[in-house]
Amino acid sequence: MRGLLTLLLLGPGLVGPAAAQPGAPPPTVAEAQADGFQLRPPDQGAGSLLAGGLALGPGLVLHGLGHYYAGDHATAKVLFAAELVSVGLLTGALLANNLGDGRGELGGLSRGLTHAGVVLFAGSWGADVLGAFKGSTALELDSSRVRGNRFGLAYRYTDDPVTDFRHHLVFRLDLNAGWFFLRPLVDLEGSARLRQLQAEIGARPLRGDDPHERLELGVRLRRVENQSHGFSTVGLMGYSGYKVDLGRLVEGLRHLYAFGRVGYGWDGYQFAATPDSVPALFSDTALGDTYLLLETGLGFNLGQRTHLTLSALSDPTKDVPPFAGGTGGLVELGLVHRQSDSLDIEFLGTMGDGFALLLGLGYGL
Amino acid sequence: MRRRAALGPLALLALLVGCDQPAELRDAANAAAAKVRLTDTLTVTVGGGAVVSTTPASGDAPAQVRIRAQSQDVRVDVVDRGCAPVTVAVTVTHLPTGIEGSWRALLDGLPLETVAARAAGGGVVDFQGDPHDRDRVPLGRERPFTPAEGSAPDVRRFWVTTDRGRQAVAADEAPPVARPALAGACVTPDAPEAGRLGAAPLVARFRLRRPPRSGGFRFAVWGNTAGMTAARDALIASVNAAAVDFAVITGDLTASGRPDDLRAAVAQLDAGLAVPWYATVGDRDVVSQAVGTVVAELGRTTFAFDVGDLRLIVLDSADKALSPDGHTQLRAWLSDGPLWWGGTPAPPVRLVLTHVPPFDPFGTRANGFNQRLEAGRFIAALKRAQVPYLLTSQLAVFETQRQAGVTVVHAGGGGAPMERDAAHHWLQVDVAEGCLAADDPPAADAPCGGCQAGQACTAEGCAPCVTLTKVEFSP
């Protein structure tokens, strides 16, 4: 009896108002507006399947084709110009490599130009596809935290085909004081035979009206102890990072953020006499190595409280081996769900020739 | 109003992921080249070489196995688990001249009482059968034989006939007369005639090697020819003039890994070089290369062999990383264990050759290993094994670096355009006789007292064990 009553009460709601009122005329625009429906503002173009299809297909060669078809000619020109710039960057990279006969002094420049060119090419094409499908309305507001201090605790699983390191515990702090930040982190592999300790110290000299937009300058200090193979590294990397709202360039991409980092690092390698030990922190370094860190990505909110990031990362010091071919980089996909004002649920997937998965919690302090 | 989010990661992913074959595929191909199953009951295993092709038996024609030598001391085991007599025609290419051959028949097993005695004796009491195969019972002594010459001076052919029913092996220099099967020849473990090891597989073990000789030896090393055929011709002429014993090519034989280009490079080397040559692949060679073509033309891409006082270890780093098998094999080869001739003491000195160096001198260019942790692990292993030299050819320069006691030599002058107008070159490696083990220097009052690790005790006194000479040539 109770179930029947429930069904009778909920039934109309389950099958929808239209079906509950068969034959009733659809509401008028005024009636819909009274119920909360908002008309598309006249200055915001609509997306369309055909526009998106054009952007996806022939738009791969002619970036901006989707927006052009949808009537947003100004954005189409911006995207096409971005494509031309990307081709220029890639050409510059090729010239730097070939004219220099692959010499080392130009290697970093060549890689940087390649990274920028590939990212800009993919980004302008992706922006055309995204904007052409969805139209020019803004995305959700960025829910990622920009102020306050946090403590994070996470479990990380790594799969490197040539090592036995698998399960990790990650502890980190994110401390902010005005312009400055301090981010210490400890990553302990389950057997405690791989230990990674790092601290990032830096400042944000430029911040936009939008608190998510910023320019960062920082230094990363790091020590990695690999007891399974008998060596450790001590290193220092200086970097600059940015995050900018692409809506500044393309109206329909408001609240879609581009972010990136460029870093130059040095690591000193210390070797133990036996494979089961690790040299002391201040032991002599037997060799020094420099590297470039290049990262570019996109971030946007999937919903009101869930922020997604997708980035291409070239960091040869990570414990996940990069893709063997192509640029030899990594792809990272991150999700942060703001469960409450003081609690975040975090996921980060890193993919290369191996992979890593991180699942953690962030607590506001 | 709902928002739709279209992602474009697939394009980025496609751009990041190259078209190269993964190292694991080459690992599998390498393993398959070491042991092939001709029939359900007949297998051929190779040490110091690779099986590059097989042809099944057809009518009166026996099964054929073609082996590419990748050492100066090749071992071929024909293992028969069947009943009827069976013949295999074996062809071995890229052998040194003046080889000496021998063979021995064995049963692949030990009597239970021998196993028990060995276990109980704890090494004090042991069964001395064959010094190289302690777990096999010899049938007769090691016999010399001379395989027939093949289509070229470095090619040898021989025919192996095994008859497990009679526990007999014949090695012939010409196609043998077919023998009928012995009635009731198939011996099963519970058959009355099984007796002691009657059911054990029959092994015909062959050895083809350059005779041991006194004095040191010399070999050539180069890489990064990148398909430059005219430069390769000049390089071959230069190497032939230096009277080396063999050559090792450390990768980048082709410009972009096309199978036809690899075959052309192999043909050019076979036609021109006066000495045996062995090769691994570089990053250019795996861009569009089918795994089968690589192994069929070059043999295994990761291999090692002992010659004189040296163990040469050649590693496949074409993916700018070592494969899982590569790491495992490196660990084994850096140890003091024998390769494929059990009971043979390991040489005192190791030399490692590969295409991609672990660390690029210009780290921001990133022409070394893709992952620095793996590079550190690699150098750590070489340091502990006190490897004096790591020879590479990724960089089109000639440059040496001292890394954790290992001298890393960047010698990519095999024909591709050079950086900074450097000269094209190859490396002449001279290895003296009497090299001292790095971890076991002689006492001060010994005949070679005063010689250091990495040196050789010669008639003239202490001398460098391994000497590298850069030899320039003009394409």
Side-chain angles (χ1 to χ4, degrees):
Chain A
M1 186 62 179
R2 187 178 299 169
L4 180 61
L5 279 175
T6 306
L7 194 62
L8 286 172
L9 285 170
L10 291 180
L14 289 173
V15 299
Q21 303 169 27
T28 64
V29 171
E31 288 171 347
Q33 283 182 293
D35 280 342
F37 175 75
Q38 294 177 349
L39 286 173
R40 179 185 295 276
D43 61 341
Q44 291 184 4
S48 78
L49 276 178
L50 184 54
L54 283 173
L56 203 59
L60 178 61
V61 178
L62 276 175
H63 296 189
L65 190 60
H67 279 78
Y68 189 87
Y69 176 82
D72 189 351
H73 296 179
T75 301
K77 288 175 190 170
V78 169
L79 292 174
F80 185 64
E83 180 190 7
L84 292 179
V85 170
S86 73
V87 170
L89 290 170
L90 291 170
T91 306
L94 204 63
L95 287 172
N97 191 51
N98 288 351
L99 291 181
D101 294 327
R103 65 186 64 188
E105 294 90 339
L106 297 176
L109 174 67
S110 176
R111 287 186 58 229
L113 290 175
T114 302
H115 180 92
V118 166
V119 164
L120 189 58
F121 186 94
S124 58
W125 178 63
D128 191 26
V129 171
L130 177 63
F133 270 124
K134 75 167 189 62
S136 56
T137 49
L139 293 164
E140 294 280 357
L141 285 172
D142 188 341
S143 61
S144 53
R145 297 179 193 276
V146 293
R147 293 187 180 88
N149 303 320
R150 289 194 313 144
F151 166 72
L153 176 66
Y155 164 78
R156 194 165 75 99
Y157 178 85
T158 58
D159 184 88
D160 181 341
V162 297
T163 70
D164 294 333
F165 303 132
R166 292 291 179 266
H167 308 282
H168 305 248
L169 263 182
V170 181
F171 309 88
R172 68 181 187 283
L173 281 173
D174 189 354
L175 304 172
N176 296 280
W179 297 88
F180 303 99
F181 61 85
L182 172 65
R183 300 177 191 140
L185 179 146
V186 175
D187 182 321
L188 286 178
E189 199 269 342
S191 64
R193 300 181 71 81
L194 179 67
R195 305 178 285 272
Q196 303 182 64
L197 304 93
Q198 75 179 41
E200 291 185 22
I201 307 161
R204 299 186 189 91
L206 286 178
R207 285 186 288 193
D209 295 333
D210 178 347
H212 297 96
E213 292 187 302
R214 61 182 180 269
L215 176 71
E216 273 184 4
L217 297 173
V219 168
R220 183 180 75 183
L221 303 163
R222 187 170 62 178
R223 175 163 174 84
V224 178
E225 297 180 343
N226 187 328
Q227 192 168 332
S228 282
H229 304 118
F231 74 96
S232 59
T233 66
V234 284
L236 177 77
M237 181 185 76
Y239 69 90
S240 73
Y242 69 89
K243 186 171 178 179
V244 65
D245 187 339
L246 289 179
R248 290 176 178 274
L249 294 170
V250 179
E251 177 68 19
L253 298 181
R254 291 193 308 284
H255 306 145
L256 175 67
Y257 292 86
F259 63 89
R261 264 190 312 170
V262 177
Y264 178 81
W266 177 91
D267 274 349
Y269 287 74
Q270 304 161 315
F271 297 96
T274 58
D276 249 351
S277 63
V278 171
L281 175 62
F282 296 109
S283 302
D284 290 338
T285 58
L287 75 93
D289 176 55
T290 57
Y291 61 91
L292 263 186
L293 181 145
L294 300 166
E295 180 181 23
T296 309
L298 292 173
F300 59 93
N301 263 46
L302 290 177
Q304 278 194 345
R305 289 174 163 267
T306 306
H307 190 72
L308 180 140
T309 58
L310 180 70
S311 63
L313 172 67
S314 177
D315 182 357
T317 64
K318 265 199 176 284
D319 58 0
V320 178
F323 289 109
T327 64
L330 300 163
V331 174
E332 284 196 328
L333 176 74
L335 275 172
V336 177
H337 178 73
R338 199 161 182 170
Q339 180 64 18
S340 70
D341 285 345
S342 60
L343 180 66
D344 291 338
I345 302 171
E346 300 164 346
F347 168 82
L348 181 67
T350 306
M351 176 69 76
D353 245 12
F355 67 89
L357 300 171
L358 179 146
L359 188 61
L361 298 172
Y363 301 91
L365 296 174
Chain B
M1 208 176 299
R2 294 184 64 83
R3 310 280 185 248
R4 281 178 296 169
L7 302 176
L10 292 178
L12 202 57
L13 197 64
L15 289 170
L16 284 174
V17 177
C19 306
D20 306 349
Q21 54 189 336
E24 288 81 359
L25 283 179
R26 295 199 299 282
D27 273 354
N30 287 341
K35 180 176 182 177
V36 294
R37 184 184 294 273
L38 294 178
T39 68
D40 287 342
T41 56
L42 191 69
T43 56
V44 175
T45 62
V46 180
V51 177
V52 296
S53 71
T54 61
T55 306
S58 172
D60 290 338
Q64 297 180 50
V65 175
R66 189 175 183 87
I67 294 168
R68 195 224 193 274
Q70 291 184 282
S71 70
Q72 305 266 291
D73 187 354
V74 178
R75 170 174 175 160
V76 180
D77 284 11
V78 179
V79 182
D80 182 6
R81 292 175 174 78
C83 300
V86 62
T87 299
V88 180
V90 181
T91 302
V92 185
T93 67
H94 297 87
L95 286 166
T97 53
I99 60 152
E100 64 180 26
S102 65
W103 68 273
R104 195 173 197 183
L106 308 107
L107 287 177
D108 191 12
L110 286 176
L112 285 176
E113 61 269 23
T114 304
V115 174
R118 181 179 280 173
V124 176
V125 174
D126 200 0
F127 164 66
Q128 285 295 339
D130 183 274
H132 303 302
D133 285 301
R134 293 180 67 245
D135 293 332
R136 289 174 170 170
V137 173
L139 298 172
R141 58 184 174 80
E142 186 98 19
R143 301 166 194 244
F145 94 112
T146 305
E149 283 198 12
S151 53
D154 64 337
V155 179
R156 292 287 184 271
R157 295 199 75 184
F158 55 95
W159 285 258
V160 183
T161 302
T162 57
D163 186 346
R164 193 162 74 89
R166 296 187 175 91
Q167 290 189 351
V169 172
D172 297 298
E173 301 168 29
V177 175
R179 303 180 186 189
L182 180 68
C186 199
V187 181
T188 55
D190 55 356
E193 61 271 24
R196 296 165 74 248
L197 296 182
L202 181 63
V203 180
R205 185 188 71 197
F206 291 84
R207 184 172 199 168
L208 302 170
R209 66 170 174 173
R210 185 180 192 145
R213 60 180 190 183
S214 60
F217 63 94
R218 171 184 292 173
F219 64 98
V221 178
W222 73 85
N224 199 25
T225 303
M228 299 296 200
T229 51
R232 186 179 282 127
D233 273 337
L235 186 153
I236 289 171
S238 177
V239 169
N240 285 342
V244 302
D245 293 299
F246 59 90
V248 181
I249 303 169
T250 50
D252 276 4
L253 291 84
T254 64
S256 57
R258 291 174 58 241
D260 286 345
D261 291 344
L262 181 64
R263 291 190 196 99
V266 169
Q268 187 180 8
L269 290 162
D270 283 343
L273 268 179
V275 295
W277 61 274
Y278 319 112
T280 185
V281 288
D283 53 330
R284 291 177 192 258
D285 297 322
V286 299
V287 172
S288 53
Q289 196 63 267
V291 175
T293 308
V294 165
V295 175
E297 295 295 329
L298 301 180
R300 285 185 270 185
T301 58
T302 291
F303 58 96
F305 61 95
D306 294 340
V307 53
D309 288 332
L310 193 69
R311 173 167 290 176
L312 265 172
I313 299 172
V314 184
L315 300 172
D316 177 348
S317 59
D319 294 304
K320 297 170 97 174
L322 300 185
S323 67
D325 278 1
H327 277 288
T328 304
Q329 288 167 322
L330 175 65
R331 197 164 45 243
W333 293 336
L334 289 176
S335 72
D336 289 331
L339 294 180
W340 49 88
W341 293 110
T344 307
V349 181
R350 312 262 185 283
L351 211 62
V352 178
L353 287 70
T354 192
H355 181 66
V356 178
F359 293 96
D360 186 335
F362 288 94
T364 53
R365 179 176 53 182
N367 254 350
F369 278 18
N370 275 334
Q371 190 191 28
R372 297 299 204 268
L373 284 180
E374 185 182 2
R377 173 184 177 183
F378 184 41
I379 289 290
L382 299 191
K383 171 187 159 54
R384 280 193 297 275
Q386 301 189 55
V387 172
Y389 292 103
L390 168 64
L391 307 182
T392 71
S393 59
Q394 165 83 320
L395 309 180
V397 292
F398 180 78
E399 191 175 323
T400 60
Q401 282 180 291
R402 192 85 176 146
Q403 295 181 346
V406 179
T407 300
V408 180
V409 181
H410 306 282
M418 301 292 290
E419 286 183 37
R420 300 178 225 134
D421 296 324
H424 289 97
H425 58 273
W426 55 277
L427 288 180
Q428 178 179 296
V429 184
D430 288 283
V431 182
E433 187 182 24
C435 291
L436 301 171
D439 58 353
D440 188 21
D445 57 352
C448 287
C451 289
Q452 304 296 316
Q455 292 187 311
C457 177
T458 67
E460 292 77 31
C462 301
C465 173
V466 176
T467 307
L468 300 183
T469 307
K470 174 190 172 191
V471 181
E472 295 182 358
F473 68 95
S474 297

